[in-house]
Amino acid sequence: MSKTKKVQAFFNKMIHSKHMLTSICFASFLESTVVPIPLETALIPLMQARREKLWMIATVTTIGCLIGAVIGYVVGLYLFDWLREPIMQYITNEQQFAQFQTQIEAHGFWFIFSTGVTPIPLQVAMLLAGLTDYSFALYMLAVASSRCVRYFGIAILVYYFGNKAEEVIRRHKYKALIGISIILVAIVLSQIWLA
């Protein structure tokens, strides 16, 4: 059984469990730290099955990721040299890592934000942010905003499209993520300018 199918089987058992929210928070933590498998494959059916808890599922999924983001930053800051070999073996390679390091040094916030909404593993941005001693506050803001776009964006699609949400996401995933990202950035910038 593939990792993705195992994750889906786990979520199928969890759908009506009284520990569903705790489990999704823990799964999100694992996905953001050690298991780089897209959580959406199981999150969408879970949200469809438990629509009454749609916003809470998006919230705890984001919280689990943010807990993982703190740990990833700390590992990059203090333990990277010790863990370099397994990181290069399981998450990325030296050449990609060097390219990503150049990106974080040049674009900082936007590189971190983009890893939260694109297929680039978020673990890479976490480690690099710690390794380069990037501003922890800006790092957490980038991770939080990107994951809110991702998880609340899915929740919005499930809310409006119900069981067709999966098909809509599959067809228009990147367009939707870019559109939601632009809206979120516009809201944040307008709040800064109006403050």
Side-chain angles (χ1 to χ4, degrees):
M1 186 184 282
S2 72
K3 287 183 181 180
T4 303
K5 290 192 186 224
K6 286 181 183 177
V7 171
Q8 286 175 328
F10 167 75
F11 277 99
N12 288 337
K13 288 181 189 174
M14 185 183 64
I15 285 174
H16 297 291
S17 166
K18 64 180 180 177
H19 304 291
M20 184 261 300
L21 292 174
T22 306
S23 299
I24 191 66
C25 185
F26 183 66
S28 179
F29 166 78
L30 289 177
E31 187 255 350
S32 67
T33 54
V34 295
V35 187
I37 295 174
L39 198 56
E40 289 83 356
T41 57
L43 195 59
I44 295 166
L46 177 63
M47 286 180 167
Q48 290 169 334
R50 298 296 302 269
R51 289 185 69 174
E52 79 282 3
K53 297 215 181 257
L54 185 65
W55 309 112
M56 187 55 74
I57 292 168
T59 300
V60 298
T61 306
T62 304
I63 290 168
C65 181
L66 293 177
I67 294 167
V70 171
I71 291 171
Y73 185 91
V74 169
V75 167
L77 188 60
Y78 297 110
L79 303 173
F80 183 79
D81 290 335
W82 188 59
L83 296 170
R84 184 180 197 102
E85 189 176 320
I87 289 167
M88 294 306 153
Q89 185 175 356
Y90 296 109
I91 297 176
T92 188
N93 60 51
E94 292 288 349
Q95 183 181 358
Q96 278 184 329
F97 196 76
Q99 290 172 348
F100 292 146
Q101 189 165 0
T102 302
Q103 290 295 315
I104 200 167
E105 288 167 355
H107 306 290
F109 180 91
W110 294 112
F111 173 76
I112 297 165
F113 180 88
S114 69
T115 62
V117 294
T118 62
I120 298 171
L122 183 59
Q123 293 89 338
V124 172
M126 292 176 175
L127 295 168
L128 280 168
L131 182 65
T132 59
D133 202 16
Y134 185 76
S135 164
F136 182 73
L138 285 175
Y139 161 74
M140 289 302 290
L141 179 63
V143 172
S145 56
S146 68
R147 288 305 165 134
C148 281
V149 165
R150 192 169 182 162
Y151 300 135
F152 282 90
I154 291 170
I156 289 166
L157 289 173
V158 170
Y159 181 81
Y160 285 107
F161 296 101
N163 292 336
K164 293 183 179 181
E166 203 164 354
E167 182 184 331
V168 170
I169 290 168
R170 201 175 315 117
R171 237 193 264 159
H172 305 288
K173 182 177 184 177
Y174 294 109
K175 291 176 191 172
L177 287 174
I178 289 168
I180 293 169
S181 298
I182 290 169
I183 292 167
L184 180 69
V185 169
I187 290 168
V188 170
L189 289 176
S190 70
Q191 294 300 315
I192 292 168
W193 286 326
L194 295 174

